[in-house]
Each structure stands twice: as C-alpha cells, then as structure tokens.
Amino acid sequence: MKRRDLLKHSALAMVSFSMARNAFALSDELPLTKETIDGTIILRANENPHGPSPLARKAMMAAVNSSNRYQWDTNGLLREKIGALTGHTKEYITLGSGSSELLGLVCLRASYLQGHVVASEPTFKLWMGASRKMGLATRLFPLTKSKHNDLDTLLASINEQTKLLYLCNPNNPTGTAHGKEAMENFIKAACQRTTVLLDEAYTDYEDTPSMAHLINSTPNLIIAKTFSKVYGMAGARVGYLLAQPEQIKALNELQAWANAGPSAVSMKGALAAMEDESFANFCKVENREARRIFCEGLQTLDIEFIPSVTSFVYFNSAGYPKPVAAYLQSKKIIGARSFEENSPWLRISIGTREEMKQVVAALQQGVV
Ligand SMILES: Cc1ncc(COP(=O)(O)O)c(C=O)c1O
C-alpha cells in the first residue's frame, strides 16, 4: 500500500477514533483482566484487545445468576437476532462454542461422504487435523502472488471427490479479501459442484461484503461467523453457521444436542454485544488506527507487508537482520509466527495503538 493511501485512510480514522476513544476508554468499573503480569504483549491469536464491550460484560455477570437453568429461550432469541441481521429466521442459524466447533461439525459431515476437502495454503487450518483423522483428505492450493485466495484454481480443482471447499474471506493469515462481484461469481459456480464452507470471521473489520444474501438461492452454501473478533468475545466461545434450514438440520443431527455449545453466560453476552453497536464501531476504528501505526512502522524499516482488511498483518521478515519472532519474544512481544514452510512471511495480530507503537519501537531498535 502506498504511504499516501495509508495517510488518507488514517486521517479519516483519526476523526472518528478520537470521538469514540473517550466514550469507550474502558471504565475503571469494569477493567479487563490482564492475561500476564509481566507486561508481555500478546499478539498471537487475532484477539480483540478491547472487548468484550462493557454492556456485554455486565450482561455476562448478571447471567451467572440464571446459569442453573438450561437456556432454550435465550438460545432461540440469539438465533432470531442473528438471523434478523440478514433477514433470515432462526431455522437458518445454528450456534456453536465458537465457530471452530461448527467448522469441525461441517468437516465431520463431509468426512463420512468420503473424499477430500479443497482449501488454500496458507489459510485457517485448525480444523484440518481432525478432519484428516476422520478420513477426509485435504487438497491445498497456493495463494496468488498478492497472497489472495486463488479463486480460479480453487474452482478448477473441484471434482467428484470434492465433498467440501473451505474458503476464508478475508483470508487468515494474509488479511486479503476478494470483493463482492468476484465472490458472488465464485460462490455461484463452486456451489453448483460441491458444498462451500465460507469462513467470514473477519468481514466486519472493514466491511468486506458478506455472502449471506446468497443463502436463499444457494443450498450448498454454509457461512461461518464468530463473536470472537470485532465483538471481542474469543474466550466466551460463541459462533454460528448460516445456511438453509435443511443444511442446518442435517448438521444438527450429528450433534447430541443442537445449539448446546455456548453457555447461558456467553449467549447473554453475545445478545448484549449485538446491541452495543457503537462499541463494535469503536473496536473497528481502533484496530484500523493500530494497524496503520504498525504498517507505517514497517514502511520506515522497508519491510514488505500485505495490506490487510483484518486484525492482523502478514509481513516479509526476509530483510530484517534478526529472526523477528525470537527477537520480539526477547522483548516480551509474543505472536509473530510463520504459516508457510521455510518462508520469511510472518503474521502478527494487531493489539492496541500503544502496543503496536512498542512493537514498532522494538523493531526499530533491532536494526541499529
Ligand atoms: C478464520 C477463522 N475462522 C474461525 C476462527 C475461530 O474462531 P472461534 O472458534 O473463536 O469462533 C478463527 C480464529 O482465529 C479464524 O481466524
């Protein structure tokens, strides 16, 4: 990305940022618990450093009192509210303990159809180990030079043995996304030939277009989303799938009990988080600003990076005089890591503005 574009982006971000920052400077009343006591900066799992929102935290604390009861009503209400975002009824939604549980569920179903899953390399692969153990082979296809999913190659690779195609847009770990038209064309073509599991964990950060509007006309499309990112609830574990009711029913039949993943406390938190739109907006602006600080720092060091629409950045550590991950770790900054074999490209999550300033300062210190 050109420096001029970055600056233009950031000027806009700064205006809304400074307005929102005062409103959400996390209140002393509800301080976030620090995961470490020694000041370590944790940038490893694309967690939101600001969330959950104060409203969600209050709702979760209150929900502890009713957690002696199973929460069928809350479960139905949350599915209704999620469905309402895209104009679907609750029959189109299933809940999980994070979207990871549901990615696993879709793969479990694909595995007993016997064949293979097609996906990009690198992409979000946490679920692949288990699906391989269940007998589903994986066929992985490299990204394009610009580190985008190679949609043409993925499409051409589908054959009768392809029981599932997994696509992460925006892609983790590269932070790249395809736009509306390219995605619509791809989804329509691919879904005629196999089931597509579209992971939209990061669409919210920069309004990457969701493909939810294709659900009604596309029986083979399953979309996964999560409350772990913009809503800052990774530890609370709430995710969901959006698909046609027949798909949802078939997936639920593989579970001992449908929608039982998230706890009463987590579901109440998710409901409150959805009401707290201004906090989610604050997190987006803050993430954009912290990402800009980091990317500008990389530019001052002549470190190549991929423009990101997410809460992480993929950068090329090849020219840096030290092994970056180990060096940053020695400075108590953990999380820079590789997702490609023998590759200098590393992913780092975006923390707060202050944290990213410290990362840049550490990298600058490392070259003198
Ligand atoms: C692309 C992608 N999908 C899904 C997940 C899983 O999220 P969760 O299980 O917390 O909902 C992650 C987590 O980092 C992710 O990066």
Side-chain angles (χ1 to χ4, degrees):
M1 178 180 269
K2 298 229 169 64
R3 192 175 160 78
R4 203 179 337 120
D5 294 338
L6 264 175
L7 292 173
K8 201 168 78 190
H9 235 92
S10 56
L12 282 175
M14 277 306 288
V15 176
S16 26
F17 171 77
S18 51
M19 291 192 304
R21 195 169 166 77
N22 290 340
F24 289 110
L26 288 176
S27 62
D28 295 339
E29 213 188 320
L30 288 170
L32 279 179
T33 308
K34 290 258 182 273
E35 208 176 304
T36 61
I37 47 166
D38 64 352
T40 300
I41 296 176
I42 301 171
L43 304 172
R44 66 184 164 204
N46 307 337
E47 295 148 332
N48 178 339
H50 310 286
S53 86
L55 280 191
R57 281 186 265 158
K58 275 188 184 147
M60 286 195 272
M61 285 189 233
V64 168
N65 295 336
S66 54
S67 56
N68 59 321
R69 300 283 177 198
Y70 294 114
Q71 299 279 325
W72 292 290
D73 291 348
T74 312
N75 169 312
L77 185 63
L78 180 56
R79 285 161 56 227
E80 265 169 33
K81 294 262 179 204
I82 291 170
L85 292 176
T86 53
H88 294 98
T89 59
K90 65 174 191 260
E91 289 71 29
Y92 285 74
I93 308 290
T94 191
L95 299 175
S97 174
S99 60
S100 303
E101 183 198 358
L102 301 168
L103 299 179
L105 185 63
V106 176
C107 290
L108 174 67
R109 192 183 52 169
S111 69
Y112 71 63
L113 299 174
Q114 306 210 318
H116 63 248
V117 53
V118 162
S120 296
E121 168 79 330
T123 194
F124 183 67
K125 291 200 294 189
L126 219 59
W127 49 272
M128 278 186 200
S131 63
R132 261 190 226 113
K133 288 227 160 80
M134 292 187 287
L136 191 67
T138 37
R139 292 185 65 205
L140 303 178
F141 295 89
L143 304 175
T144 63
K145 266 199 160 154
S146 60
K147 308 275 183 202
H148 282 75
N149 287 303
D150 187 343
L151 297 183
D152 293 339
T153 301
L154 291 171
L155 196 58
S157 73
I158 301 172
N159 63 31
E160 302 80 61
Q161 291 309 305
T162 310
K163 305 304 174 191
L164 185 68
L165 186 146
Y166 170 82
L167 187 75
C168 189
N169 191 64
N171 190 40
N172 180 4
T174 54
T176 52
H178 285 284
K180 188 163 190 262
E181 201 184 328
M183 282 300 292
E184 282 178 351
N185 292 339
F186 175 81
I187 295 293
K188 284 177 192 164
C191 284
Q192 281 177 12
R193 303 172 60 195
T194 192
T195 298
V196 173
L197 173 56
L198 176 62
D199 191 333
E200 293 190 347
Y202 298 98
T203 47
D204 298 333
Y205 278 105
E206 296 294 344
D207 297 329
T208 301
S210 169
M211 291 295 112
H213 63 287
L214 294 183
I215 287 288
N216 288 355
S217 57
T218 320
N220 274 348
L221 175 61
I222 303 171
I223 295 178
K225 297 206 69 141
T226 179
F227 282 83
S228 297
K229 306 302 173 183
V230 159
Y231 290 124
M233 294 179 57
R237 313 303 300 130
V238 189
Y240 62 92
L241 296 179
L242 172 67
Q244 290 195 359
E246 294 71 26
Q247 286 273 12
I248 296 291
K249 232 172 126 196
L251 289 164
N252 287 158
E253 278 166 7
L254 295 177
Q255 297 179 295
W257 176 11
N259 300 303
S263 70
V265 173
S266 303
M267 288 191 291
K268 288 270 165 71
L271 278 166
M274 288 172 78
E275 298 295 318
D276 205 348
E277 206 179 311
S278 50
F279 182 80
N281 286 334
F282 162 76
C283 292
K284 290 184 212 179
V285 172
E286 177 76 349
N287 175 67
R288 191 175 305 145
E289 179 62 10
R291 193 179 62 212
R292 180 194 64 79
I293 288 167
F294 179 62
C295 291
E296 284 193 354
L298 292 182
Q299 281 182 323
T300 63
L301 291 160
D302 266 337
I303 296 177
E304 183 188 10
F305 64 93
I306 304 294
S308 168
V309 292
T310 63
S311 56
F312 50 89
V313 170
Y314 208 49
F315 65 98
N316 186 348
S317 66
Y320 197 76
K322 298 182 169 69
V324 171
Y327 167 69
L328 287 179
Q329 196 156 350
S330 75
K331 301 276 174 192
K332 292 191 177 169
I333 298 167
I334 58 169
R337 57 191 170 114
S338 166
F339 288 79
E340 297 177 79
E341 234 171 276
N342 301 321
S343 163
W345 285 89
L346 304 177
R347 186 197 78 184
I348 195 164
S349 303
I350 297 300
T352 63
R353 290 191 311 158
E354 286 70 23
E355 286 172 338
M356 299 323 286
K357 280 181 191 162
Q358 287 184 50
V359 178
V360 169
L363 286 172
Q364 284 167 341
Q365 261 174 35
V367 294
V368 288

